Amino acid sequence: MIRRALAVGLAIASWSCQGELNGPGQPVVLDRAYFRCRVQPVLTKSCATQSCHGDGRRYFHVFARNRLRAQGEEKDRDAMLTDIERNANFESARGMIDARDPGSSWLLLKPLEMSGGGYFHRGAEIFGGGNVFATKDDADYQVLQSWALGATDDPSCIEPGSDK
């Protein structure tokens, strides 16, 4: 009986920590295909530089071709991302999504200009006084926002720049 209660408790705790609630009580799954084919390219372009989130010491970090890699030698730096790296990027980004209020997620508000409703971000200094996204109208911002709110893509979509 105790074993069963413990198993149920662990299952509930695991589910509630996964960042997959969208609004009051409505479950949403963060789509891996949408991430791979739409979000990953935005993160690579806007966040994966060594001075930003291409540094493995940061809580939120992004693996990318010719940048931070999970393994391999220098000669392999420009190889396609491995499944391990793709999964790590997905999990890292998912960790920046607020399970109770996806619209208020760090993944959305940290790179958004403060005048547009975002948070202070050291990236603003790196981007010459402006943040990654000036407003919520930025097309790349909208890609991140759509994913956080549950957008999906065809599972057979092909990640730009990949060999798959």
Side-chain angles (χ1 to χ4, degrees):
M1 183 69 118
I2 294 174
R3 186 181 259 175
R4 183 175 174 184
L6 182 58
V8 169
L10 286 173
I12 291 170
S14 172
W15 177 78
S16 67
C17 292
Q18 292 188 14
E20 295 183 357
L21 290 180
N22 183 16
Q26 297 178 344
V28 65
V29 175
L30 294 172
D31 187 64
R32 286 184 181 272
Y34 192 92
F35 180 85
R36 183 180 71 247
C37 295
R38 297 178 187 263
V39 175
Q40 173 71 37
V42 170
L43 297 180
T44 297
K45 175 177 73 172
S46 302
C47 309
T49 64
Q50 187 174 11
S51 61
C52 293
H53 300 284
D55 180 344
R57 295 173 294 180
R58 295 194 184 246
Y59 171 76
F60 174 63
H61 58 272
V62 180
F63 294 110
R65 291 180 70 182
N66 247 346
R67 298 192 184 155
L68 179 65
R69 300 309 299 260
Q71 56 198 13
E73 298 178 24
E74 185 63 31
K75 66 180 180 61
D76 301 321
R77 185 173 292 279
D78 194 35
M80 301 296 170
L81 289 180
T82 65
D83 289 338
I84 290 170
E85 291 168 325
R86 283 186 185 98
N87 188 54
N89 285 348
F90 177 85
E91 293 299 332
S92 188
R94 185 168 92 163
M96 302 299 286
I97 301 297
D98 184 328
R100 288 177 223 68
D101 185 8
S104 295
S105 297
W106 280 77
L107 186 70
L108 301 178
L109 298 181
K110 198 69 170 160
L112 181 62
E113 191 67 45
M114 289 174 65
S115 63
Y119 300 144
F120 172 78
H121 183 218
R122 186 169 177 274
E125 297 167 6
I126 294 167
F127 285 97
N131 216 325
V132 180
F133 307 117
T135 70
K136 292 179 180 180
D137 294 329
D138 184 287
D140 286 344
Y141 177 89
Q142 291 180 354
V143 166
L144 300 182
Q145 182 179 48
S146 294
W147 179 67
L149 296 174
T152 61
D153 206 337
D154 180 348
S156 64
C157 69
I158 298 173
E159 176 185 345
S162 78
D163 60 349
K164 294 185 177 190

